[in-house]
Amino acid sequence: REVVEVPAEKIGLVIGKSGATIKELERLSGCQIWVDAKTNVPGYPTRLVNVAGEPGSVQDAKRLIRERLEILDGGVRSTPEGVVREIVMVPDNWVGAIIGKGGLVIKTIMQTANAKIYIPGETAPGGNMRHVTVTGTPDAVA
């Protein structure tokens, strides 16, 4: 199983009307493809799309997803003007402290910095680090 990060505002391009696109991607690749429901959080910049199947089929599915996003997005893979996105690797054992009880710490950080922070529910494949996405103005992300 592998995971593809998709900008939240573009997840509809992968799912399609009533799931038609994701079903077609499954048919073409021979993989199971689903969107991680835990990443459907307002304000977070990315959604995680899970792909499961034979290794070659998984690579095909990931390619099909990337191609669909690039073709339907005009080949532009950027954030709005004046907004930057940084990926920060965070040790898995620090995540609880960053989120805080009831999400209080991360909400405070986002409000204070005027940035959006997304922490995926799982570690990066083969490691104990999480790819944390920070989105905002250059000053907010720095």
Side-chain angles (χ1 to χ4, degrees):
R1 180 175 79 103
E2 292 196 33
V3 176
V4 178
E5 282 191 19
V6 174
E9 68 273 10
K10 298 194 176 32
I11 195 66
L13 298 175
V14 175
I15 297 171
K17 187 173 183 177
S18 300
T21 301
I22 206 165
K23 289 174 190 167
E24 178 68 4
L25 293 171
E26 286 181 320
R27 187 187 68 74
L28 290 170
S29 67
C31 289
Q32 282 188 301
I33 303 171
W34 70 98
V35 180
D36 187 341
K38 295 178 201 167
T39 63
N40 188 15
V41 179
Y44 287 122
T46 57
R47 301 282 307 273
L48 299 181
V49 177
N50 295 285
V51 181
E54 295 296 320
S57 298
V58 168
Q59 294 310 311
D60 288 344
K62 289 171 62 176
R63 179 185 48 78
L64 289 168
I65 291 168
R66 284 191 303 273
E67 285 175 0
R68 177 146 185 92
L69 291 172
E70 289 175 17
I71 291 167
L72 293 178
D73 196 28
V76 177
R77 299 169 80 191
S78 63
T79 53
E81 189 173 332
V83 175
V84 296
R85 180 176 292 151
E86 291 286 331
I87 305 290
V88 181
M89 299 300 289
V90 175
D92 198 41
N93 59 347
W94 289 11
V95 170
I98 293 170
I99 295 172
K101 188 172 185 176
L104 185 60
V105 174
I106 197 166
K107 287 177 189 172
T108 303
I109 293 169
M110 288 191 292
Q111 288 171 348
T112 304
N114 197 25
K116 293 180 181 174
I117 301 171
Y118 168 70
I119 301 174
E122 297 179 1
T123 59
N128 63 350
M129 304 289 277
R130 300 219 196 163
H131 295 217
V132 176
T133 306
V134 182
T135 307
T137 64
D139 287 340
V141 173

